[in-house]
Amino acid sequence: MSQADDARAEGPRRTAFDWTDAEARRRAEAGLVRVLRPRPADSDLLDLASNDYLGLTRRPEVTGAAAEAARRWGAGATGSRLVTGTTELHTLLERELAAFTGFEAALVLSSGYAANLAALTALGGPGSLIVSDASNHASIVDGCRLARAEAAVVPHADPEAVAKTLDAHPGRRALVVSDSVFSVDGDRAPLAALAHACRAHGAGLVVDDAHGFGVLGDGGRGALHEAGLAGDEDVVATLTLSKSLGSQGGAVLGPARVIEHLVNAARTFIFDTGLAPAAVGGALASLRLIAAEPALPARAGTVATTLYELLTAAGLTAARPDAAVVSVRAPSPEAALRWAADCREQGLAVGCFRPPSVPDGISRLRLTARADLTEAEIRRAVATILRTAPQGR
């Protein structure tokens, strides 16, 4: 008997990744299948799902700067930042980001995710302690895991729990890490109280300002600037260039000696290809637009508040927005999915968050306010959400 005959006699052939079929069935049964939905270049959908808070991603000044950067510097950075991947544009963006936000220095990376990994792995390490908010973004969670530090997860927005955790580890090198604005409900972290707890214990404070930068603070300078913490010697910020700046990439901001340490120790900086010149050029143009148009950040906040007030006045349950995210509760995961789909069918794109992506188990629609939304578009969005709302909401 041949080997082929032997294989047929033994039954269906097994391969290395057969186990993924069982995982796919499990996801389907739980209603947790994620699907890519390519969007066209032009769409009739009213967008309340993206993170383009200031409506800059299609501004001619931004797209033109991105195109010019690609023409001048090439389509890619060509290598890691330490080899050939640092252009004059990268250095200029870092200098202007630091100056705008009030920090001593900045370091640009290929994504906000990479920025969080860089900060936590380079500033954490074996023997150290990282205290992390229970509602922090997945990139922070992964940064804590990769830092090889002891990670302590504390209740959401609870400075007393942070202080008690630090009390239990006296004299230990420690970091406290939190989002400035939490991406699910859009609520703000108690930054002043967190800084107080850190300073009482000699701990560093790392804040992901992805959803605060460009929306909060004087002219959009961010939550840390607003709290009077920007530029402090024991504070580090991370942010993304893909939200308020409408481009792509991330950055770490802090004392010059911390940034110098990251250049030498952060693996997601050292071993990653530099951010493409087009993204750098676009982000730099957006940053300059924010500086020139300081009303934009305030407008994003006004749109968020208006959405919240109109929806709650109509009987929906929503979290009061601290920045540009409006969270509207749904009665169940299935209802949230159907609600979001019905909105899309009627021309409105909204986000949909449900377990296990939300730590509190509460499903919701997630609306992102944009500074460029007109009053008519706000009314249209609210009418669509109300018209499609599930029974018994």
Side-chain angles (χ1 to χ4, degrees):
M1 182 181 284
S2 68
Q3 288 184 340
D5 290 335
D6 287 340
R8 282 192 292 271
E10 292 172 1
R13 178 174 174 268
R14 293 185 177 183
T15 63
F17 299 115
D18 285 348
W19 60 271
T20 63
D21 296 333
E23 288 295 299
R25 287 192 295 271
R26 178 187 61 78
R27 284 192 293 270
E29 291 167 359
L32 296 175
V33 176
R34 294 178 171 92
V35 178
L36 294 174
R37 185 186 290 116
R39 64 178 175 86
D42 296 302
S43 173
D44 293 331
L45 284 174
L46 178 57
D47 175 23
L48 268 70
S50 75
N51 289 319
D52 185 20
Y53 293 139
L54 303 185
L56 296 180
T57 193
R58 288 181 178 271
R59 282 278 294 261
E61 301 96 318
V62 176
T63 56
E68 175 57 28
R71 281 191 292 267
R72 183 176 183 189
W73 299 102
T78 76
S80 71
R81 289 288 309 276
L82 289 169
V83 184
T84 59
T86 296
T87 69
E88 292 172 3
L89 271 182
H90 289 79
T91 302
L92 188 58
L93 176 59
E94 288 166 345
R95 186 183 307 128
E96 294 194 20
L97 267 176
F100 182 76
T101 55
F103 284 89
E104 188 176 9
L107 188 67
V108 167
L109 293 92
S110 60
S111 71
Y113 212 111
N116 276 337
L117 297 188
L120 293 173
T121 56
L123 299 176
S128 66
L129 172 71
I130 301 179
V131 184
S132 178
D133 189 290
S135 294
N136 277 339
H137 188 263
S139 58
I140 295 177
V141 174
D142 288 349
C144 291
R145 291 169 176 167
L146 290 171
R148 295 177 295 166
E150 179 182 348
V153 179
V154 294
H156 176 52
D158 190 343
E160 290 186 10
V162 170
K164 288 178 181 178
T165 303
L166 293 172
D167 275 337
H169 299 83
R172 194 166 176 185
R173 193 175 99 204
L175 296 173
V176 173
V177 59
S178 176
D179 285 314
S180 64
V181 176
F182 294 89
S183 61
V184 175
D185 273 336
D187 57 318
R188 196 184 309 197
L191 294 182
L194 289 177
H196 178 76
C198 287
R199 285 164 182 169
H201 298 84
L205 178 61
V206 178
V207 177
D208 180 354
D209 203 21
H211 297 275
F213 172 67
V215 179
L216 298 178
D218 178 25
R221 285 169 171 79
L224 287 158
H225 190 279
E226 183 180 54
L229 298 171
D232 287 358
E233 63 181 5
D234 53 358
V235 174
V236 169
T238 63
L239 52 83
T240 176
L241 313 180
S242 62
K243 294 180 171 61
S244 288
L245 294 184
S247 184
Q248 189 156 352
V252 183
L253 304 102
R257 63 179 179 176
V258 170
I259 299 305
E260 188 271 340
H261 176 70
L262 263 62
V263 169
N264 287 276
R267 293 173 66 85
T268 54
F269 174 81
I270 296 169
F271 297 106
D272 192 21
T273 297
L275 184 62
V280 179
L284 183 58
S286 289
L287 182 63
R288 291 171 175 175
L289 279 174
I290 296 173
E293 301 178 23
L296 277 175
R299 172 61 183 168
T302 298
V303 171
T305 300
T306 302
L307 286 168
Y308 165 79
E309 290 175 346
L310 292 174
L311 291 169
T312 54
L316 297 183
T317 301
R320 180 177 291 277
D322 283 334
V325 174
V326 182
S327 174
V328 185
R329 292 199 173 187
S332 69
E334 296 77 18
L337 278 175
R338 184 69 258 166
W339 198 358
D342 288 345
C343 284
R344 175 172 284 272
E345 288 177 5
Q346 297 196 28
L348 175 66
V350 297
C352 176
F353 279 26
R354 59 202 170 103
S357 297
V358 287
D360 59 9
I362 298 171
S363 297
R364 59 250 293 160
L365 296 188
R366 180 182 181 276
L367 317 178
T368 52
R370 294 204 329 270
D372 61 336
L373 288 178
T374 66
E375 298 302 321
E377 288 172 329
I378 294 170
R379 290 194 296 271
R380 173 185 157 197
V382 169
T384 303
I385 293 166
L386 294 175
R387 187 167 55 247
T388 56
Q391 296 290 331
R393 60 179 188 263

